[in-house]
C-alpha cells in the first residue's frame, strides 16, 4: 500500500502541476529592454516556479515594435509536446503571426519563437493580443496544462517630426548605464526617490549649465538672487505678490503686441487660453492669455503666477520671456516653445506616450528634480509641482513651468474645501493641507505625486479618495 502511494505521488508530480518544474519560459535581456526598459530577463516559468504576477501583467507593445520573441526550454531531457494559439481582438487592424507551427515540441536547448505584429498603415488603435500555450507531458493521461502571455499592441501613426524625435531617444542595449538605471526602476513609484534625486541634484547644482534665451528682442534675464535661510524651512510669499515688484518685472519684460502672431489654439478654459505663435515672425512661443470677459482677479492671478519664476535661468525651468498689458486689450504672457513644446500632462494622455520606456521616464523625473533643486537653492518654493505645470518637447526635454491658468485649464485637479480657494489638494503634503505651510519638503512630496503621474500616464492621484477626506487619509497613513 505504501509503495502504491509513493508511485501515485511520483506520477502526480510528473503528470500534474509539476509540469512547470520541467519548463522555462521567459523574455531575454534584449526583449526586456525593448519592451520594459529593463536590462534583465523576465521569467514566466522558471524551473518549477510560476511567476503569476508576470503572467497576469499585460505588456504594451509600442507602435515602433513589430515583433516580439519568447524563449523556452524543456528541462526533462526530452522535448515536451505543445499546442499554441494567438487571439487578436482587432484582426482587421493588426495582423498577428507566429513563426512556429500550431503544435510541436519544446526543445531541450534554449530556443525562441517570435510573434510578428503589423499595424495597418495610418491607424490609431489598441488591441489585446494573447499567446496561449498548452503543454502536454503525458498524452496517455491527457494531462494538459495551459498558460497565457498577455500583450497589448499599440498602433499609432505619428507625424514625421514625432518619428524622428523618438528614434533619436531610443537607448542602445549595450550601454553600460542600463544596469545602473535598471536598479532605479523598482523605486520609481516610491516617493522616497524624490528625496534621493533632490539630494543628488544639490550636490551637482554648481556644475549645471544655464539656459539661454531664444528671444532676440528681449534681454537675457538675470539669475535669481541667493535668498537667506528661511526659518523652519518655510518660504515666504513669492516676490511677485508684491505690487511694486510685480510692476517692475512687467515693465522689464513688456513687448509690443503687434510683434506677436498667433497660429493655433492649444488649450481653452472658461476664461483662459493657450496659443502657439511666433514673436517677430521668427521665435516660436507659447502665449497665455485671458478672454475679454475675465475678471480683474483672474487677470491679476495670470500676471502674478506667471511672474513667479521670473529670472530663473536653468535648462529645466520655463521662465516667462515677455508680457503685454496694453490698454483695452487682454494681457498675455510669452514663453519659449522650441521643438514643438507642449503641455506635459496633455502629452501623457496621447497614444504616443504609451511608447515611453522606464528609462525615459526616470530621466524625465531627474530633469524636474534638478529644476526643483535649483529653485530651492535660491529660496523659491514652487507650491504646485505637477505634470500640468510642465512642458515637453520632441526630444523629451521637460521643463518646470509656473501654474498660471492651471486652475482654469485643469479644473479637475483643483478643489475647494469650503474656504473659497481652489487648490491642488491631491498634490499637497499633510502640512500644506492642515496649515497651508509650504516648504522644500512639501515640494518634494508633490514631486513624488508628479512621478506617479509620469508612471501612470497622467492618471488622477488618489482617485478613490474624496478631497474632503485627504487630510485624514494622509494623517492615518
Amino acid at each position: 500500500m505504501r509503495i502504491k502511494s509513493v508511485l501515485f505521488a511520483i506520477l502526480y508530480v510528473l503528470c500534474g502541476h509539476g509540469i512547470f518544474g520541467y519548463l522555462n519560459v521567459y523574455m531575454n535581456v534584449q526583449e526586456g529592454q525593448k519592451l520594459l526598459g529593463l536590462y534583465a530577463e523576465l521569467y514566466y516559468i522558471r524551473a518549477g516556479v510560476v511567476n503569476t504576477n508576470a503572467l497576469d501583467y499585460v505588456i504594451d507593445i509600442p507602435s515602433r515594435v513589430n515583433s516580439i520573441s519568447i524563449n523556452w526550454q524543456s528541462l526533462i531531457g526530452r522535448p515536451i509536446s505543445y499546442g499554441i494559439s494567438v487571439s487578436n481582438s482587432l484582426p482587421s487592424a493588426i495582423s498577428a503571426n507566429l513563426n512556429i507551427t500550431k503544435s510541436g515540441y519544446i526543445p531541450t536547448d534554449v530556443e525562441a519563437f517570435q510573434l510578428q505584429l503589423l499595424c495597418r498603415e495610418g491607424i490609431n488603435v489598441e488591441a489585446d493580443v494573447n499567446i496561449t500555450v498548452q503543454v502536454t507531458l503525458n498524452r496517455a493521461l491527457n494531462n494538459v496544462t495551459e498558460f497565457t502571455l498577455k500583450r497589448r499592441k499599440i498602433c499609432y501613426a505619428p507625424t514625421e517630426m514625432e518619428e524622428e524625435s523618438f528614434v533619436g531617444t531610443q537607448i542602445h542595449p549595450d550601454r553600460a548605464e542600463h544596469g545602473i538605471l535598471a536598479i532605479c526602476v523598482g523605486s520609481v513609484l516610491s516617493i522616497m526617490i524624490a528625496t534621493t534625486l533632490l539630494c543628488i541634484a544639490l550636490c551637482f547644482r554648481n556644475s549645471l549649465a544655464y539656459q539661454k534665451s531664444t528671444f532676440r528682442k528681449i534681454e537675457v534675464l538675470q539669475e535669481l538672487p541667493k535668498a537667506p535661510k528661511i526659518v523652519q524651512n518655510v518660504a515666504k510669499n513669492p516676490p511677485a505678490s508684491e505690487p511694486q515688484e510685480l510692476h517692475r518685472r512687467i515693465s522689464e519684460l513688456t513687448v509690443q503686441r503687434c510683434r506677436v502672431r498667433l497660429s493655433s489654439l492649444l488649450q481653452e478654459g472658461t476664461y483662459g487660453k493657450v496659443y502657439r505663435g511666433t514673436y517677430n515672425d521668427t521665435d516660436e512661443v507659447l502665449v497665455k492669455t485671458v478672454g475679454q470677459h475675465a475678471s480683474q482677479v483672474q487677470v491679476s492671478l495670470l500676471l502674478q503666477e506667471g511672474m513667479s519664476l521670473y529670472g530663473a535661468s536653468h535648462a529645466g525651468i520655463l521662465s516667462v520671456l515677455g508680457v503685454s498689458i496694453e490698454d483695452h486689450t487682454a494681457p498675455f504672457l510669452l514663453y519659449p516653445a522650441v521643438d514643438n513644446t507642449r503641455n506635459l500632462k496633455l502629452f501623457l494622455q496621447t497614444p504616443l506616450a504609451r511608447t515611453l520606456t522606464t528609462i525615459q521616464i526616470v530621466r524625465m523625473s531627474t530633469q524636474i528634480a534638478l529644476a526643483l533643486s535649483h529653485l530651492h537653492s535660491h529660496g523659491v518654493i514652487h507650491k504646485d509641482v505637477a505634470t500640468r505645470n510642465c512642458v515637453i518637447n520632441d526630444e523629451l526635454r521637460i521643463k518646470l513651468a509656473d501654474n498660471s491658468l492651471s486652475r482654469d485649464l485643469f479644473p479637475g485637479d483643483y478643489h475647494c474645501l469650503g474656504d473659497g480657494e481652489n487648490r491642488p489638494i491631491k498634490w499637497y503634503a499633510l502640512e500644506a493641507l492642515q496649515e497651508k505651510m509650504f516648504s522644500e519638503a512639501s515640494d518634494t512630496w508633490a514631486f513624488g505625486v508628479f512621478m506617479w503621474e509620469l508612471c501612470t500616464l497622467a492618471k488622477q492621484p488618489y482617485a478613490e479618495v474624496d478631497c474632503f477626506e485627504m487630510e485624514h487619509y494622509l494623517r492615518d497613513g
Side-chain angles (χ1 to χ4, degrees):
M1 185 68 179
R2 181 179 179 84
I3 295 176
K4 289 183 178 180
S5 299
V6 173
L7 290 175
F8 177 81
I10 294 174
L11 184 62
Y12 178 82
V13 171
L14 290 176
C15 302
H17 297 283
I19 185 172
F20 285 126
Y22 304 98
L23 180 67
N24 280 343
V25 180
Y26 63 97
M27 287 197 314
N28 62 23
V29 172
Q30 289 73 24
E31 285 294 299
Q33 192 279 328
K34 179 172 68 175
L35 299 180
L36 300 174
L38 297 173
Y39 198 63
E41 295 175 334
L42 174 62
Y43 274 84
Y44 294 98
I45 302 169
R46 185 173 190 173
V49 178
V50 180
N51 189 340
T52 55
N53 290 329
L55 288 174
D56 291 338
Y57 183 70
V58 180
I59 296 180
D60 289 333
I61 310 299
S63 181
R64 66 177 184 272
V65 176
N66 295 323
S67 67
I68 60 174
S69 66
I70 299 294
N71 287 33
W72 59 2
Q73 179 187 17
S74 167
L75 301 178
I76 63 174
R78 62 177 176 81
I80 299 176
S81 177
Y82 77 83
I84 191 168
S85 61
V86 177
S87 62
N88 179 3
S89 63
L90 285 176
S92 61
I94 299 171
S95 65
N97 299 300
L98 289 164
N99 70 337
I100 58 174
T101 58
K102 293 183 178 180
S103 62
Y105 293 91
I106 300 174
T108 55
D109 295 326
V110 176
E111 291 188 9
F113 66 86
Q114 290 188 335
L115 175 65
Q116 187 179 56
L117 297 167
L118 298 178
C119 299
R120 197 178 67 192
E121 187 175 355
I123 62 171
N124 298 313
V125 297
E126 295 182 8
D128 293 326
V129 180
N130 296 329
I131 305 171
T132 300
V133 180
Q134 301 88 25
V135 180
T136 304
L137 187 63
N138 192 312
R139 291 186 181 276
L141 297 177
N142 194 29
N143 184 276
V144 178
T145 304
E146 181 178 288
F147 60 91
T148 300
L149 309 180
K150 301 176 182 179
R151 301 291 186 268
R152 182 185 296 112
K153 175 59 179 174
I154 300 170
C155 295
Y156 179 69
T159 63
E160 183 177 348
M161 181 178 297
E162 289 172 335
E163 286 182 338
E164 292 176 355
S165 169
F166 271 79
V167 168
T169 56
Q170 291 185 28
I171 312 299
H172 195 281
D174 292 334
R175 292 185 180 176
E177 62 179 335
H178 284 182
I180 299 174
L181 289 174
I183 297 174
C184 300
V185 170
S187 58
V188 168
L189 295 177
S190 170
I191 294 178
M192 292 300 294
I193 195 175
T195 304
T196 304
L197 288 173
L198 289 175
C199 291
I200 295 173
L202 286 171
C203 295
F204 289 96
R205 67 175 184 269
N206 292 330
S207 63
L208 298 176
Y210 291 110
Q211 176 186 14
K212 294 183 178 179
S213 170
T214 58
F215 258 44
R216 300 178 182 176
K217 299 297 182 179
I218 301 177
E219 293 183 356
V220 177
L221 303 178
Q222 295 181 349
E223 186 180 356
L224 287 168
K226 282 281 185 179
K229 188 66 176 179
I230 300 170
V231 178
Q232 295 181 344
N233 201 30
V234 179
K236 299 178 181 179
N237 290 331
S241 62
E242 300 293 336
Q244 291 182 347
E245 175 63 19
L246 180 60
H247 178 74
R248 183 186 70 82
R249 295 182 180 188
I250 291 175
S251 63
E252 287 187 6
L253 296 178
T254 296
V255 298
Q256 294 179 322
R257 179 177 293 268
C258 61
R259 294 181 180 273
V260 179
R261 296 183 183 275
L262 305 180
S263 58
S264 60
L265 178 64
L266 300 180
Q267 289 178 263
E268 183 174 11
T270 303
Y271 62 88
K273 298 179 181 180
V274 179
Y275 291 90
R276 189 179 302 282
T278 58
Y279 178 76
N280 280 342
D281 293 326
T282 55
D283 298 304
E284 297 180 1
V285 293
L286 294 178
V287 182
K288 287 186 178 182
T289 186
V290 294
Q292 295 289 347
H293 61 283
S295 68
Q296 187 59 44
V297 173
Q298 292 164 342
V299 171
S300 298
L301 276 176
L302 169 69
L303 297 175
Q304 180 177 315
E305 293 175 343
M307 291 291 171
S308 62
L309 300 183
Y310 163 89
S313 181
H314 186 273
I317 297 176
L318 185 75
S319 183
V320 62
L321 292 178
V323 60
S324 173
I325 53 171
E326 295 179 7
D327 293 338
H328 309 298
T329 59
F332 64 75
L333 302 173
L334 300 182
Y335 300 83
V338 296
D339 297 327
N340 194 29
T341 297
R342 65 273 205 196
N343 184 270
L344 176 58
K345 180 165 186 171
L346 297 183
F347 166 77
L348 291 173
Q349 295 170 342
T350 65
L352 185 59
R354 302 292 293 270
T355 65
L356 291 172
T357 66
T358 305
I359 291 175
Q360 289 169 334
I361 290 176
V362 171
R363 287 181 170 177
M364 292 163 67
S365 299
T366 304
Q367 293 176 55
I368 296 303
L370 294 173
L372 198 57
S373 173
H374 177 78
L375 291 180
H376 290 171
S377 70
H378 291 86
V380 177
I381 306 302
H382 190 281
K383 299 184 181 180
D384 198 357
V385 180
T387 57
R388 62 182 171 272
N389 294 323
C390 295
V391 295
I392 186 171
N393 67 11
D394 286 335
E395 296 181 352
L396 300 186
R397 302 293 182 186
I398 62 177
K399 296 177 182 287
L400 181 62
D402 57 61
N403 65 337
S404 57
L405 295 184
S406 288
R407 292 178 181 83
D408 183 47
L409 299 176
F410 299 95
D413 292 352
Y414 294 83
H415 300 86
C416 178
L417 298 183
D419 54 3
E421 181 182 359
N422 283 329
R423 294 176 289 166
I425 301 300
K426 295 189 176 182
W427 281 260
Y428 272 6
L430 183 59
E431 66 272 17
L433 279 173
Q434 291 179 326
E435 305 175 32
K436 295 185 179 180
M437 182 182 296
F438 299 93
S439 65
E440 295 178 10
S442 63
D443 269 0
T444 302
W445 177 276
F447 175 72
V449 182
F450 163 85
M451 288 197 298
W452 187 90
E453 288 186 274
L454 284 183
C455 295
T456 61
L457 301 183
K459 288 186 178 180
Q460 192 73 9
Y462 304 105
E464 74 286 357
V465 182
D466 186 88
C467 289
F468 286 90
E469 299 296 326
M470 277 301 298
E471 180 179 335
H472 299 289
Y473 185 84
L474 296 179
R475 187 179 59 210
D476 296 340

